[in-house]
Amino acid sequence: MLKFEIAGDGQTAIQYIYTAKDRALRGIRTGMRQGMVGLAGYIVAQKLSGQVLNRGTGRLADAVIESPRVWQGPDYIKGSVNAKPKGMPNEGYWQEFGTKAIEGELMRMALTADTYTFTRRRRAVGPRPFMNPSLAEYKSQILGLLAENLERAMQ
């Protein structure tokens, strides 16, 4: 709960409101950043250490750890974590949503619907979600960090 009192002339009140807004936004950005870094660590520890994917997860884990990002627009603050290794096709997307088989070649990478599809021996790879379930499981911690940092910023 936030409680405050403003005393003095109108200019002082306006200045206080602008200052409070800046502090609140800074607190939210800090909380969002901590939440995204925490989510990245959670994904690597809980999903990419053999629980969901048990092979070839080094590049994905590195991509996840390096990816937390926070940005602010005129009426929002967003955070993201992704699993796309730099300079590589989006393996994280394939793992999360699966792929479709491509006929004709033993191994092939092709652009379909703005995403790359990779198949081996013409078999589709089934989805093995690790990002979306992690967000659902870690959501309360993110909200807690946002609240904690907002409260600290407003003191």
Side-chain angles (χ1 to χ4, degrees):
M1 169 188 233
L2 297 174
K3 182 179 180 183
F4 61 93
E5 180 180 321
I6 301 173
D9 63 26
Q11 193 60 33
T12 303
I14 290 170
Q15 185 59 39
Y16 176 82
I17 290 169
Y18 283 120
T19 303
K21 175 187 171 192
D22 292 341
R23 288 193 334 240
L25 290 173
R26 189 171 38 255
I28 292 169
R29 282 192 307 269
T30 300
M32 182 66 78
R33 175 74 181 158
Q34 290 175 357
M36 295 302 101
V37 169
L39 176 59
Y42 180 85
I43 290 168
V44 170
Q46 298 298 318
K47 306 296 181 183
L48 296 181
S49 299
Q51 296 85 340
V52 176
L53 306 177
N54 57 11
R55 294 184 322 161
T57 60
R59 280 193 307 246
L60 286 177
D62 290 345
V64 169
I65 290 297
E66 294 172 5
S67 75
R69 182 173 168 225
V70 174
W71 64 99
Q72 180 176 341
D75 58 353
Y76 62 84
I77 295 175
K78 292 183 179 182
S80 71
V81 173
N82 74 60
K84 184 183 184 313
K86 289 180 182 165
M88 301 288 292
N90 198 343
E91 295 175 79
Y93 183 89
W94 301 337
Q95 297 293 347
E96 188 78 13
F97 300 107
T99 65
K100 296 178 181 167
I102 297 174
E103 296 298 322
E105 295 186 27
L106 182 61
M107 284 189 174
R108 182 173 178 191
M109 213 175 309
L111 184 64
T112 58
D114 298 327
T115 61
Y116 283 96
T117 300
F118 176 74
T119 61
R120 263 191 139 90
R121 295 177 203 86
R122 291 179 276 169
R123 290 181 291 165
V125 176
R128 292 181 280 183
F130 64 101
M131 297 287 283
N132 286 319
S134 295
L135 178 59
E137 294 162 11
Y138 200 75
K139 182 179 177 181
S140 63
Q141 286 90 331
I142 294 170
L143 294 174
L145 288 166
L146 286 169
E148 178 183 310
N149 281 280
L150 178 58
E151 186 175 336
R152 188 178 307 127
M154 298 309 293
Q155 291 177 350

